[in-house]
Each structure stands twice: as structure tokens, then as C-alpha cells.
Amino acid sequence: MSQAPAAAPRPRARGWAGPGRGGVAYVEAPAEWRATTVQACGLWPFAAGTGSPMTGVPLGRNLVSGATLCCDPISWFQRAKLISNPSCFVLSKPGLGKSTVVRRMALGLAGYGTIPMVLGDLKPDYVDLVEALGGQVIRLGRGRGHLNVLDPGEANEAADRLTGSARAAVLADAHGRRTTMVSALLTILRTSPPTDREESILDRALKVLDERSRAHGRTPVLADLLAVIREAPEDVRAVAVDHGRIERYRELTEPLEASLLALLGSGRLGEIFSSPTSHPMRRDRPVVFDVSSINDAETDLQAAALLACWSAGFGAINIANALADAGLEPQRHYFVVLDELWRALRAGRGMVDRVDALTRLNRQGGVGQAMVSHTMSDLMSLPTAEDRAKARGFVERSGMVICGGLPSAEMPMLRSVVGFTRAEEDLLVSWQDPPAWDPDAGAQADPPGRGNFLVKVGGRPGIPVHVALTSVETEKGLHETNARWRVTSRIGAPRELALPPTSAALPVLPAVPDVPALQP
């Protein structure tokens, strides 16, 4: 009986096993290449989608698939149609890169023709970026610069170029924003909003002041508004309802006069908002309002400065849109950054309404928007349930929510606004772990979550991404938020460390005598 021929030996998955047969212990992963469908059309059977959108500003690589993620609120709203509102809310603990991801979006959008506007930089994080883009850096603070809250900006010049309802709309918007801003300053000063009567008096007095100012060709300041209220013209007395008695009018307006006096330089808000504007803002260039000179202990002044910057910025955007609608200027899109949002919200009761009124119409105004805060606790710590609900609406209305490392206590509050899976929550919590000690460098390593973010859009699965810095950002220091730590302090250092290499040109200090060691 004949036997079947023996099967020919075949190599295993790692090659021929046995001595001298060339088996490999490590199989390298195949090289991956990316190409367009036109270039790689012959390889179509072997192509596969990665699931990471490629429309917008390149942020980095997907932490799961390694694919490139492009993301920004304007591109995802205008071109990709992935979100219904061109805005994003960024949440992360300090030091993990939330300012870096917003700067990357601003830099990339500038390349697309969008104008970045940073309306209040407290650290500063965005000054170097705006300077590199050739934009305006407007510095505000005690002794550094002023922003007149009664300055209509370019509204009057734009109104002269417009006619009919468009002209009336620009003037009405400028009037409303200035009235709202004065009321906001009074709210911060008093920690409670002005009464309905006081707001009516402010509104009518500002109209009287505008008529006089246009006749004389000058820009009013808060001192002029106070003078009109003290003068008691008939229009103002009518809304004050003094029943024809000047004594009653004085009694009704006395608290308002006292508060306005405190805004003229004698109160804790100083003279920043009562003097003529030092550097008028332009609507055709990137701009950053640098308010980093205001101390963190002056929370009221910081909040007032942020609101004033937001009001000036959105006012300029409204003027640009009005001129574009009339065909007098090209349509411009803006990317507005509202950093440290929690500082303004905590300034006093009613501040949430002021912020809400300033930021609600971004979709109709051709504005992309990024709001930045540390945690949901910042928004949920407001004193009243009404303010907390409105602050939570800032996150709910955002087209996308970008989260970095967050503590586990944040998850229930965040889950009530955005749908997160348990795996996504665990990922965010792991990113906020402290850094490990690097024995080779003799210092702490980078935090595990630095540069890592989860991009959430509604109930869709989040996209984990690591923001990769380019050589332009690193060489120019555009990513640096700890600028004051770039140079090591030499106070108290040993002589051989304290003197720089060019110490020959410096005066030689007298030698310090040796101190004898203490004897037991």
C-alpha cells in the first residue's frame, strides 16, 4: 500500500523555526502612508477611513488611531457642517494646555482669513501670538492704559457712511452696549444690579449726552454723564418720575451719583474706565487686550476690565457686519476668545445676564467663539440657582466641548451637560494625575495629560487628541504660558552660579568670609 506524500514544510507566522532557519522575534509594523483618493485610487481596496475629521485647523494626532485631527468651531460649522453653533467651551485644570489649544485654533484660523480677537488676556497668554500676526496689543491697567466705556468706537464714523435703518441700527447698538456697560460697572461696584429707575435715568441721560457731544464733536466720558444727571434736564427728570419736585429728583439720583463718583478714580475700580481711550481698537486687525497688570487680588477690577473688553470687541464686530451688509466693506469673520470666564461671572449678581447678552448672537454675527474656564465647579459656584442655570447654558449651547484633565468630582456636573461614557470619564481623570519624578533629569517629568484633550460634539463619541506643537510655536515661544520662569533667579545663588559668562564687565563683589562650622 503506497503512502501519501508528506506535506511540504511551511513557515510559521514568524518564519522558519529552528536553529539557523531565520525566524524573527519581532515583526515590524508596516509603514503607513496618507494620500488623496486621486493619488491612491489604485489602492482603494486597501484603504480605510479613520473617523477623525480633516476639516479645519490641524490640532494633532488621534490618541487611538494615530490619524490627524483637524478641528476648530468655525470650520466645523461653516464647511464641515458638523456642529450647529460656531463655538467651543474649553475645560481643563491649570497647566495642561488649554490656552495652547485655543492659541493653535487662533493661529490656524488666521491662515484661513479669520481675525483673532482676544478680549481680555490675564496672564498674558496671547500677546506674543497677536504680535507675531501683526495685530494690536492694547494694554489696560492702573497707569498703563484706559478704555472709555462711553466711547462709541467707530460707530459714529460707520453711521455717517450708512443710511436709513442700517444707520439707526448701528447707533442703537452702540447706545445699548454703552448703557449695558455702565450698568455692569455699577453692578460690580455695588455687588447688585441698579434699579429699573436708575437704568432708565442712565439710558435717557446718555441720549442727552450723545446729542450734545455730536454737536460739539467730542467723545463723552463718565464725568460728562454724571454732569448731565446733576444738571437734571427735563427728559431725565421725566423718567425719574419726580412729580415736578427737584428735591425728590435729588433724593432719587443721590445713590446713582455716589456710585458714578466712585467710577471716576476714587473707588476700587480706579480711573481705567473714566478717561479717554488710550489706544482705539481697529476692526481689521487681530487684537488682544492685555490686562495682565491687574493683580489677581483685585477681582472686581479684573471682572470689570474683562466686561469692558468684551463690550468693545463685540461692538466693533457689529459695526463691521453692518458695513459688510451695506456692501461698503468685505465680510470679515472673527474668532473671539473669552478666557478666564469664571472671573467675570463671580463679580456680582446679574453678571451672568450681562455676559449672556454679549455672547448669545455669535451665529448671526459671523463670529466663532471660544470660552475658557477651569472646571464646571467655577460655573456651578454662583450664588443663585438662576445664575447657575444660565452659566450652564454657556456649555450646553456650545457647538463643541473640549476637555483636558479634570478631577473625578467634576464628572457628575459635566455629565449633566454633555454625555460622557465611563471610559471617557476615566480618561479625563487619568490626565489630571500629577507628574512623575524623572531621576535622569533630576526634575519632574511633564504631566501625563499635558496636551491631551477630548473633543465632544453632542452625544457622539469623543475624539482623544494630543496637540502637537510646531517649530514655529516652540521657536517663537508662542506656546509659553510661564514666561516669567524662563530665566532662573540668581538671588542667593553661589558665586560660580550667580555670575553670567560676561561677568567681566560687572563690578566684582567683595568676598564673603568663611563661616566656621558649628562645633557640638
Side-chain angles (χ1 to χ4, degrees):
M1 182 176 179
S2 62
Q3 295 182 347
R10 301 181 64 182
R12 299 181 181 179
R14 295 183 179 273
W16 295 97
R21 295 196 179 187
V24 295
Y26 173 73
V27 179
E28 295 184 0
E32 295 184 10
W33 301 88
R34 181 185 297 278
T36 66
T37 53
V38 174
Q39 295 169 318
C41 56
L43 301 177
W44 176 83
F46 308 101
T50 62
S52 294
M54 293 287 291
T55 303
V57 177
L59 286 190
R61 291 195 177 275
N62 189 312
L63 289 173
V64 176
S65 65
T68 302
L69 172 67
C70 298
C71 172
D72 68 81
I74 293 181
S75 299
W76 279 24
F77 171 77
Q78 184 181 27
R79 293 190 285 151
K81 312 295 184 184
L82 293 174
I83 57 179
S84 58
N85 188 6
S87 63
C88 66
F89 205 106
V90 183
L91 290 165
S92 175
K93 289 183 65 176
L96 297 182
K98 61 181 180 298
S99 297
T100 299
V101 70
V102 176
R103 276 197 305 270
R104 165 61 64 80
M105 290 182 181
L107 180 61
L109 286 171
Y112 286 130
T114 300
I115 300 177
M117 298 178 71
V118 184
L119 305 181
D121 192 355
L122 288 163
K123 291 187 179 179
D125 288 339
Y126 305 88
V127 169
D128 292 341
L129 172 63
V130 173
E131 286 181 338
L133 294 174
Q136 280 184 288
V137 178
I138 301 176
R139 292 179 170 85
L140 301 176
R142 298 185 188 275
R144 298 190 69 192
H146 304 93
L147 181 59
N148 178 16
V149 294
L150 296 187
D151 191 345
E154 298 173 307
N156 291 335
E157 290 80 0
D160 292 339
R161 301 171 61 185
L162 298 168
T163 59
S165 59
R167 180 179 187 276
V170 167
L171 293 176
D173 179 79
H175 173 81
R177 289 187 182 276
R178 290 181 296 156
T179 304
T180 299
M181 192 59 225
V182 175
S183 297
L185 292 180
L186 295 178
T187 300
I188 295 174
L189 192 66
R190 299 174 173 181
T191 66
S192 62
T195 65
D196 295 341
R197 189 195 303 267
E198 288 176 331
E199 289 196 342
S200 298
I201 293 173
L202 288 172
D203 178 80
R204 190 60 58 90
L206 186 56
K207 289 181 179 178
V208 173
L209 180 59
D210 284 341
E211 293 175 359
R212 297 178 180 180
S213 299
R214 281 194 292 268
H216 294 86
R218 59 184 297 271
T219 301
V221 293
L222 283 177
D224 300 324
L225 180 63
L226 177 59
V228 170
I229 294 175
R230 285 176 170 174
E231 184 182 332
E234 290 299 326
D235 289 350
V236 179
R237 290 184 61 181
V239 297
V241 195
D242 62 358
H243 300 294
R245 295 162 46 202
I246 190 62
E247 296 81 6
R248 175 172 171 79
Y249 175 83
R250 300 298 182 196
E251 180 182 351
L252 293 172
T253 58
E254 182 178 358
L256 185 57
E257 288 186 33
S259 297
L260 290 175
L261 273 174
L263 295 175
L264 299 182
S266 57
R268 62 180 182 273
L269 298 187
E271 75 289 347
I272 298 177
F273 313 106
S274 59
S275 300
T277 300
S278 304
H279 303 285
M281 173 188 167
R282 293 179 54 179
R283 63 180 180 274
D284 59 346
R285 291 173 57 186
V287 63
V288 55
F289 287 89
D290 180 7
V291 295
S292 59
S293 65
I294 301 177
N295 194 285
D296 287 342
E298 298 181 289
T299 55
D300 290 346
L301 184 56
Q302 280 186 341
L306 289 175
L307 278 175
C309 296
W310 298 350
S311 180
F314 281 102
I317 291 171
N318 182 75
I319 294 171
N321 289 333
L323 293 174
D325 292 341
L328 300 176
E329 288 187 359
Q331 178 66 60
R332 297 183 176 94
H333 291 161
Y334 297 89
F335 181 59
V336 177
V337 178
L338 306 180
D339 208 343
E340 301 292 340
L341 182 67
W342 61 275
R343 295 183 186 269
L345 299 182
R346 291 185 182 180
R349 184 164 55 90
M351 291 305 297
V352 176
D353 294 326
R354 308 294 181 188
V355 177
D356 186 61
L358 286 173
T359 61
R360 181 173 285 272
L361 299 178
N362 55 328
R363 181 165 57 91
Q364 291 85 345
V367 179
Q369 186 172 281
M371 294 185 175
V372 185
S373 189
H374 292 153
T375 61
M376 284 293 294
S377 299
D378 296 333
L379 306 180
M380 296 295 101
S381 60
L382 297 175
T384 66
E386 182 181 4
D387 283 350
R388 290 193 293 270
K390 292 178 180 178
R392 192 175 71 172
F394 296 153
V395 185
E396 292 175 335
R397 290 197 307 271
S398 296
M400 65 176 72
V401 178
I402 302 176
C403 296
L406 293 169
S408 56
E410 285 291 306
M411 295 303 114
M413 289 180 285
L414 195 58
R415 196 185 309 122
S416 66
V417 180
V418 184
F420 283 88
T421 65
R422 177 57 63 89
E424 291 172 342
E425 292 179 4
D426 293 342
L427 187 64
L428 296 179
V429 173
S430 68
W431 286 345
Q432 60 97 38
D433 290 339
W437 179 260
D438 185 353
D440 296 330
Q444 284 184 335
D446 288 339
R450 177 172 291 172
N452 293 342
F453 293 90
L454 187 69
V455 181
K456 288 286 292 185
V457 175
R460 301 174 188 170
I463 304 175
V465 61
H466 178 76
V467 178
L469 297 175
T470 64
S471 59
V472 173
E473 293 168 301
T474 55
E475 291 173 5
K476 292 184 175 294
L478 302 183
H479 71 295
E480 182 62 66
T481 60
N482 299 320
R484 293 190 181 275
W485 295 98
R486 293 176 185 170
V487 180
T488 302
S489 173
R490 301 183 183 274
I491 302 300
R495 176 175 299 277
E496 60 271 15
L497 297 179
L499 294 178
T502 57
S503 59
L506 299 176
V508 179
L509 300 177
V512 178
D514 293 334
V515 178
L518 296 177
Q519 299 299 325

